[in-house]
């Protein structure tokens, strides 16, 4: 008989066994305390996509790497160094999506959406992944929601999308923002502009940072985006793309800003705004908080027109435009601008009980209150009334219901106003209705 030997398992050193496990760099838990902000934004976003006639789409989180290489561009930071990618057996290289516009364009082609009435208006919400250097406002997993309008070249679409985000930020109470707008033309006029830009920057090569020296050959448009002080000085004299737009691109841009003026949407023309993804044509824009913290990444959203993307991915030529809003950054701004948001999880009442019989009745009553959409806090494991009322106070409920031996016998229950301390005896069977009335009165005060 062959000798059976135990497989050799490397022993984990004691020290690392006891070490608690942490989060991966750039990844965060969304804690219960944050959930009110998430729900607040989600409810606003959902009312917007429905109100503006968008249909929701949920593309998968994992996609073929080539989708993003072809769309975002080989020479961009995202594709060059920021994709979480791995080889999947039989499926080649796959990535956790760094953004969703490319997936939307793929879905538009895959599902023959060109046959639907145009334009097709799609909304999405979900996590994105970029292996960037984490810093304030920049995570490796972050969340976006986005609006994409596919199938129409009209500049009114660009203005409408900018209008949607302006109105969104206004509705959620973020008014300290600025909308930055630019046009980066079409591939034809941009080509001529880029030659001019490179000639200018070459003449200033000595003053450029190492990254910009590489950008001269790899991605010259991004020269305008550099945060290095010396490069920003060079930029002040650089040729501006608006002066190089061809007739059609110029007209398109004039119309976009014309609509924004008509709609009274305040914006700043920013000749240096170029965006970090290669698929854009003509209009590009971002929304920034008015006060930008030193060193923090702060664009709240970014978008623009991408007329060549669907064709680049193998579809028929289809103009399109869209925007994606960064949820974590919006939450940071809501906090910074001290915007009051509803506290959805706040319990409205506390259900206290004393004695075994009362406990059983309280458990049943809890179920009725929950079905009546009343948010109830409790601690059925506690017996002391004092301890339960202290907890009710801590939670900050408006009313406490108290159910003791006597109330069980009488078929009644006590309602205690936690602010005034006044207590009232009511019929047990009328608890839900009485509470609803009291809460409605309280809320309208
Ligand atoms: P983006 O500018 O790369 O555009 O991202 C949009 C927004 O997502 C940013 O303005 C920011 O709020 C948020 N964001 C991006 N990266 C991070 C990060 N590492 N950490 C936290 N938040 C981040 C796009 O993704 C395009 N797909 C937008 C678009 C839609 N263009 C046309 N349609």
């Amino acid at each position: 008989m062959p000798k059976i030997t135990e497989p050799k398992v490397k022993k984990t050193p004691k020290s690392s066994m006891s070490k608690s496990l942490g989060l991966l760099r750039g990844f965060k838990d969304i804690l219960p305390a944050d959930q009110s902000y998430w729900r607040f934004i989600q409810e606003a976003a959902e009312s917007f996509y429905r109100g503006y006639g968008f249909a929701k789409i949920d593309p998968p989180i994992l996609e073929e790497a080539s989708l993003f290489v072809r769309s975002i561009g080989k020479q961009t930071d995202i594709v060059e160094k920021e994709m979480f990618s791995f080889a999947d057996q039989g499926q080649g290289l796959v990535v956790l999506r760094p953004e969703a516009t490319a997936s939307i364009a793929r879905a538009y082609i895959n599902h023959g959406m060109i046959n639907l009435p145009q334009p097709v208006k799609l909304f999405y919400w979900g996590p994105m992944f970029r292996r960037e250097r984490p810093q304030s406002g920049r995570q490796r997993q972050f969340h976006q929601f986005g609006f994409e309008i596919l199938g129409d070249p009209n500049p009114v679409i660009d203005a409408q999308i900018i209008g949607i985000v302006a109105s969104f930020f206004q509705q959620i109470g973020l008014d300290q923002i600025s909308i930055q707008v630019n046009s980066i033309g079409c591939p034809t006029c941009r080509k001529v502009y880029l030659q001019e830009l490179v000639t200018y920057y070459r003449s200033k090569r000595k003053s450029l940072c190492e990254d910009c020296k590489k950008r001269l050959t790899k991605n010259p448009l991004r020269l305008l985006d550099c945060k290095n002080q010396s490069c920003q000085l060079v930029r002040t004299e650089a040729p501006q793309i608006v002066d190089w737009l061809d007739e059609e691109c110029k007209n398109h841009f004039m119309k976009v800003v014309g609509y924004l003026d008509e709609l009274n949407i305040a914006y700043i023309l920013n000749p240096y705004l170029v965006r970090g993804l290669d698929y854009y044509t003509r209009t590009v824009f971002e929304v920034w908080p008015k006060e930008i913290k030193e060193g923090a990444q702060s664009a709240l959203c970014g978008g623009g027109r991408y007329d060549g993307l669907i064709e680049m991915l193998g579809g028929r030529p289809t103009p399109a435009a869209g925007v994606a809003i960064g949820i974590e950054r919006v939450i940071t701004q809501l906090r910074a601008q001290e915007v009051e948001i509803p506290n959805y999880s706040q319990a409205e009442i506390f259900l206290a009980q004393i004695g075994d019989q009362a406990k059983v009745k309280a458990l049943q009553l809890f179920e009725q209150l929950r079905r009546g959409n009343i948010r109830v806090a409790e601690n059925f494991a506690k017996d002391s009334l004092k301890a339960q009322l202290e907890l009710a106070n801590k939670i900050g409920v408006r009313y406490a219901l108290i159910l003791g031996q006597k109330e069980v016998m009488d078929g009644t229950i006590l309602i205690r106003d936690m602010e005034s301390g006044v207590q009232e005896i009511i019929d047990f069977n009328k608890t839900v209705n009485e509470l609803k009335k009291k809460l409605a009165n309280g809320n309208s005060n």
Side-chain angles (χ1 to χ4, degrees):
M1 232 175 75
K3 202 173 148 204
I4 298 170
T5 50
E6 289 243 335
K8 274 191 188 151
V9 179
K10 244 192 177 171
K11 273 200 182 149
T12 316
K14 256 207 173 135
S15 59
S16 76
M17 266 165 66
S18 55
K19 201 174 136 204
S20 66
L21 297 170
L23 277 165
L24 291 172
R25 266 191 90 207
F27 288 74
K28 279 190 180 162
D29 293 314
I30 303 172
L31 294 169
D34 303 321
Q35 295 295 341
S36 287
Y37 283 93
W38 285 79
R39 180 159 164 199
F40 176 61
I41 295 173
Q42 189 164 9
E43 284 185 359
E46 290 196 352
S47 83
F48 263 70
Y49 92 71
R50 292 205 175 95
Y52 283 90
F54 284 73
K56 189 164 187 239
I57 178 166
D58 291 308
I61 287 166
L62 204 63
E63 295 261 19
E64 269 186 56
S66 57
L67 172 65
F68 301 106
V69 178
R70 279 163 69 180
S71 57
I72 297 175
K74 248 189 202 156
Q75 309 285 9
T76 57
D77 286 349
I78 298 182
V79 168
E80 259 198 345
K81 48 190 185 207
E82 295 171 0
M83 294 211 291
F84 282 97
S85 58
F86 59 94
D88 186 28
Q89 273 181 1
Q91 300 213 56
L93 204 59
V94 295
V95 297
L96 291 175
R97 63 177 182 199
E99 60 112 45
T101 308
S103 302
I104 301 296
R106 177 201 46 67
Y108 181 90
I109 302 168
N110 290 166
H111 303 288
M113 293 190 203
I114 195 147
N115 301 313
L116 299 174
Q118 305 292 305
V120 174
K121 295 161 86 178
L122 298 173
F123 168 88
Y124 54 88
W125 168 289
M128 312 290 156
F129 303 83
R130 295 183 194 172
R131 211 175 176 290
E132 297 184 82
R133 192 171 51 80
Q135 63 180 87
S136 170
R138 195 202 266 162
Q139 295 167 213
R140 290 184 167 178
Q141 178 182 339
F142 59 97
H143 297 73
Q144 290 180 341
F145 63 92
F147 300 90
E148 313 282 354
I149 304 185
L150 308 109
D152 202 311
N154 199 307
V156 75
I157 302 278
D158 313 36
Q160 198 186 13
I161 289 171
I162 297 172
I164 290 175
V165 290
S167 168
F168 179 81
F169 287 124
Q170 192 186 30
Q171 177 162 318
I172 63 169
L174 278 187
D175 39 24
Q176 297 302 305
I177 53 159
S178 81
I179 302 174
Q180 310 277 318
V181 186
N182 193 20
S183 170
I184 55 164
C186 63
T188 319
C189 59
R190 198 184 312 147
K191 201 170 159 194
V192 187
Y193 168 71
L194 287 180
Q195 279 167 359
E196 201 64 24
L197 189 72
V198 170
T199 309
Y200 168 78
Y201 268 89
R202 281 232 165 92
S203 71
K204 311 279 175 195
R205 201 169 193 281
K206 271 198 202 133
S207 316
L208 300 181
C209 71
E210 285 313 304
D211 280 344
C212 277
K213 282 179 187 153
K214 285 185 207 144
R215 285 180 187 131
L216 270 171
T217 47
K218 278 172 51 181
N219 199 349
L221 206 55
R222 298 287 291 179
L223 287 162
L224 297 171
D225 213 18
C226 185
K227 303 285 176 285
N228 183 292
Q229 243 184 355
S230 153
C231 300
Q232 290 206 341
L233 222 75
V234 173
R235 191 177 75 173
T236 51
E237 305 268 297
Q240 298 193 352
I241 190 154
V242 279
D243 299 325
W244 295 83
L245 296 179
D246 62 26
E247 231 20 61
E248 276 186 53
C249 289
K250 203 181 287 168
N251 279 341
H252 185 96
F253 194 44
M254 296 301 286
K255 284 201 173 137
V256 174
V257 293
Y259 285 124
L260 295 181
D261 290 336
E262 294 288 337
L263 295 169
N264 275 329
I265 296 172
Y267 60 90
I268 291 170
L269 288 177
N270 180 346
Y272 307 127
L273 186 75
V274 291
R275 311 270 302 126
L277 307 108
D278 278 359
Y279 51 62
Y280 289 110
T281 49
R282 296 187 170 169
T283 317
V284 288
F285 67 91
E286 285 183 357
V287 174
W288 298 351
K290 275 213 173 121
E291 265 182 43
I292 299 180
K293 239 174 63 192
E294 184 81 26
Q297 294 293 314
S298 47
L300 301 174
C301 75
R305 183 159 275 288
Y306 48 94
D307 289 345
L309 179 59
I310 292 174
E311 192 180 4
M312 204 191 307
L313 295 176
R316 277 196 261 151
T318 309
V323 63
I325 295 155
I327 300 164
E328 284 83 355
R329 289 193 193 167
V330 172
I331 292 177
T332 304
Q333 272 309 304
L334 286 170
R335 288 196 158 117
Q337 296 185 25
E338 293 178 0
V339 176
E340 247 187 65
I341 61 149
N343 187 347
Y344 303 95
S345 51
Q346 171 70 46
E348 296 161 301
I349 65 149
F350 190 95
L351 177 53
Q353 37 66 45
I354 324 147
D356 280 345
Q357 271 180 304
K359 215 182 277 289
V360 174
K361 253 195 137 173
L363 281 163
Q364 290 163 346
L365 177 61
F366 182 92
E367 202 49 31
Q368 286 174 32
L369 291 163
R370 187 192 62 76
R371 274 192 228 129
N373 285 327
I374 298 172
R375 293 192 299 273
V376 195
E378 47 70 33
N379 189 336
F380 291 131
K382 278 206 172 13
D383 293 322
S384 132
L385 180 63
K386 188 167 169 261
Q388 290 180 71
L389 288 182
E390 272 171 12
L391 186 57
N393 232 336
K394 229 187 229 167
I395 296 170
V397 292
R398 298 225 30 222
Y399 300 102
L401 289 170
I402 304 168
L403 198 58
Q405 204 72 9
K406 181 172 182 309
E407 287 76 28
V408 174
M409 303 285 279
D410 297 350
T412 58
I413 192 163
L414 286 177
I415 300 187
R416 181 187 172 95
D417 185 318
M418 293 301 286
E419 238 173 71
S420 63
V422 174
Q423 297 194 157
E424 207 183 314
I425 302 171
I426 61 160
D427 183 342
F428 180 83
N429 293 324
K430 295 187 178 153
T431 314
V432 177
N433 282 345
E434 280 299 316
L435 268 177
K436 275 193 174 169
K437 265 191 246 162
K438 278 187 183 294
L439 290 170
N441 282 343
N443 291 340
S444 65
N445 283 342

